[in-house]
Structure formats: C-alpha cells, structure tokens
Amino acid sequence: MGDPAEEKKQPCNARIDELAKPNKRLLLDLWQNHAYHFPEERKEAIRLLLQEMFAMTPEETQKYFEEISEIIKTLAAREKMKKKLVRKYHMKVREVERRRALNKFRKIFIQLLTYASKNPVPPLVSPRLRSMSDLILFQICDLRGIVLPERSDNDKQAQFLCNIADWVSIAIEYIYYEIHVQKNRELEIIEEQVDAEKNLDANKKSKKRGKM
C-alpha cells in the first residue's frame, strides 16, 4: 500500500481540467468582440472550442458564426456612420462659430476704424506694445497689398494705418489684462471653496472627537 500522505498530495485531475476550461460566456465575448485580433489558426481553435461547449453540429456552428459575423459587421458599420456624423456635426459647429467670430471681429474692426480716425493714439510706452503694433501694421499692409509705411511719414494714409495698428495693440493688451483679471478671480473663488471644504471637514472631525 502506498503512503497515505502521498495519496493526499495527488491532485484531482478532473477538477484541474474543469478549472482549466475557459468560461463559455467569456469565450463567446472574446470571439464576438476580439476575434479579429487573432490569426486564422487561433480563431479556428476558438470556434471549435465554442462548438464543443455549446454542443452544436459543425453546420449549426458555421451558421451561428456567420450570423454573429453579420451582426458584428452591421454594428461596425453603424459605429463608423455614427463617428462620421459626429465628426461632420462638429465640423459644422466649428464653421458656424468661425463665421460668428469673423462677423463679430468685422463689426469690432469697423468700430475701431471709426474710433481711430477720430481719436489720437496715446504714446505706446511699452516696448511690447510697440512691437505688437509694428506686427499688426505689417499684417494690415500685407492683407491690403499696401507698401509698409514709416511711422515718420506725414502721409494721411500712413498715419491712419499706424493709428489703427496702435489702437489694435492697445485693445489686445486690454483684453489680455481683462482675461488675467478674470482668471485670478476664478482662482480666488476656487481657493475659497477649497478652504471652506477644509474648514468643514475639520469641524466634522472636531465634533466626532468631542462625542468620543
């Protein structure tokens, strides 16, 4: 007779075989959603294993997988169409927003031209403003096909273009400043909310300690 201790150590082969078998639901999900990742040999092995698990004949298995393939193709086509429609929608939204922005800029620019023609420009003390104004002047002349004027020119058109460039640079600087002010306000609000939450948590912990 063998050693009882050795007999106890022998594994249960039937149980191991049972645990080694993949879950039917997971294997079916693998086939339905990820079969295209595998080579043909592996796909055939999965198909045969599913055939065995679901106790189907080869004809039934072939028909079943053909139906599954058609469903997958239909779903893939729908998903592709959905993505295409979403992309088309976003492109349309961006185009509408771009047109609105251009129309708004056109109105602001016309107002700025009127304002620049009637009001003298304050001296641009900041080197950044002067550099920005020169860049804007270059862009305006390039768009209009006009020779870039010198700031010392006494020509009315040259002075008018320089005034526009100066006012635009001032407007950009003002908008930039306003954005930073708004951002700082938002950060202050967030910090206040964080501090309030910390104080609330501290009060809750203090009350819990008092009850203990």
Side-chain angles (χ1 to χ4, degrees):
M1 294 179 64
D3 188 354
E6 291 182 359
E7 292 180 359
K8 289 182 180 180
K9 291 180 181 178
Q10 291 180 357
C12 179
N13 293 330
R15 180 59 177 164
I16 292 175
D17 292 341
E18 183 67 24
L19 292 173
K21 289 183 179 180
N23 182 277
K24 289 197 296 184
R25 181 180 60 81
L26 295 178
L27 189 63
L28 184 60
D29 180 76
L30 176 68
W31 174 269
Q32 291 176 344
N33 298 311
H34 306 286
Y36 61 90
H37 290 299
F38 299 106
E40 291 299 326
E41 301 81 17
R42 182 59 61 85
K43 286 195 289 187
E44 181 64 16
I46 296 173
R47 188 183 68 81
L48 292 175
L49 186 56
L50 284 171
Q51 176 181 324
E52 179 184 347
M53 285 182 167
F54 287 93
M56 293 187 293
T57 64
E59 292 77 13
E60 291 173 338
T61 304
Q62 184 65 26
K63 183 179 179 181
Y64 173 76
F65 282 113
E66 286 177 356
E67 292 175 352
I68 289 293
S69 298
E70 288 299 322
I71 292 173
I72 292 173
K73 288 179 182 178
T74 302
L75 292 176
R78 288 180 181 176
E79 187 66 21
K80 186 177 180 181
M81 179 60 67
K82 181 181 177 182
K83 290 180 179 179
K84 186 177 180 181
L85 291 174
V86 170
R87 186 165 58 250
K88 188 175 181 180
Y89 169 76
H90 286 304
M91 289 176 63
K92 187 175 181 180
V93 169
R94 283 195 295 269
E95 180 63 22
V96 172
E97 291 177 348
R98 189 182 70 85
R99 289 179 182 176
R100 289 176 60 186
L102 286 174
N103 290 333
K104 187 174 182 179
F105 178 77
R106 188 179 293 110
K107 292 178 181 178
I108 294 174
F109 192 72
I110 291 172
Q111 293 174 356
L112 189 61
L113 290 177
T114 305
Y115 188 84
S117 64
K118 297 179 180 179
N119 296 274
V121 183
L124 302 182
V125 180
S126 169
R128 183 174 64 180
L129 276 177
R130 174 62 68 183
S131 177
M132 190 188 306
S133 177
D134 291 340
L135 180 61
I136 293 169
L137 179 62
F138 174 81
Q139 293 293 336
I140 292 173
C141 294
D142 184 60
L143 289 172
R144 300 298 299 172
I146 303 171
V147 178
L148 183 67
E150 296 290 338
R151 290 189 175 271
S152 58
D153 291 345
N154 294 323
D155 181 69
K156 288 185 177 181
Q157 178 177 296
Q159 290 299 317
F160 179 66
L161 292 173
C162 291
N163 286 347
I164 292 174
D166 290 346
W167 275 119
V168 171
S169 64
I170 292 172
I172 292 174
E173 182 77 5
Y174 175 77
I175 293 171
Y176 179 79
Y177 172 77
E178 285 295 318
I179 290 173
H180 272 271
V181 170
Q182 181 65 28
K183 186 182 292 185
N184 290 334
R185 288 174 183 169
E186 292 175 355
L187 289 174
E188 288 176 0
I189 293 172
I190 293 172
E191 289 176 356
E192 289 175 358
Q193 291 175 347
V194 171
D195 291 339
E197 290 176 358
K198 288 181 179 179
N199 292 333
L200 184 61
D201 292 339
N203 291 334
K204 287 181 179 179
K205 291 179 181 179
S206 178
K207 289 180 180 179
K208 287 182 179 179
R209 292 195 192 100
K211 291 180 180 180
M212 293 176 62

